[in-house]
Amino acid sequence: MHEAGIRVRATDIRACQLPPWLPFACDDIFSPDLSCYAGADVLYAVRPAEEMIPPLIALAERLDCDLVVYHLGFESYGTGGTVIDCGVPLHCYYRRGQNPSKSVD
């Protein structure tokens, strides 16, 4: 995505060693700092624990952006969301515009 000119940012609860071109912020999904996600169009989570999915969905709703999750193996949450098969199964748990009455502070 970066090579295609798309702005990418990464967050994790622990500091990570990442390439210098990748902006990074420490954040806790259970108490997210909304400034870390300002302007996001998509939240993409790689192998989050099952208990992280509800707060990820809540954050996507608050930001009104898509939430796409790559699970480990055959894991999923609830009904599994909408499955996107692009060589690996991705699960979309929230689509932008799903809740148009929601406002972001």
Side-chain angles (χ1 to χ4, degrees):
M1 291 187 334
H2 169 73
E3 290 174 3
I6 298 169
R7 190 174 58 150
V8 178
R9 290 174 274 175
T11 62
D12 200 332
I13 197 161
R14 288 183 232 113
C16 300
Q17 193 73 345
L18 297 171
W21 56 263
L22 182 56
F24 176 80
C26 281
D27 193 44
D28 182 353
I29 192 61
F30 295 100
S31 181
D33 174 357
L34 295 180
S35 69
C36 292
Y37 308 94
D41 293 317
V42 177
L43 296 178
Y44 177 64
V46 178
R47 299 186 313 235
E50 185 176 352
E51 64 271 11
M52 295 171 70
I53 302 297
L56 282 164
I57 293 170
L59 181 59
E61 288 174 346
R62 179 121 189 225
L63 299 170
D64 193 30
C65 68
D66 294 352
L67 171 60
V68 178
V69 175
Y70 175 71
H71 289 288
L72 182 61
F74 295 101
E75 295 175 348
S76 67
Y77 175 78
T79 63
T82 302
V83 177
I84 304 163
D85 189 358
C86 57
V88 296
L90 300 177
H91 299 257
C92 183
Y93 289 102
Y94 184 82
R95 296 289 269 161
R96 181 183 191 133
Q98 232 176 268
N99 193 354
S101 64
K102 195 103 172 167
S103 64
V104 178
D105 298 326

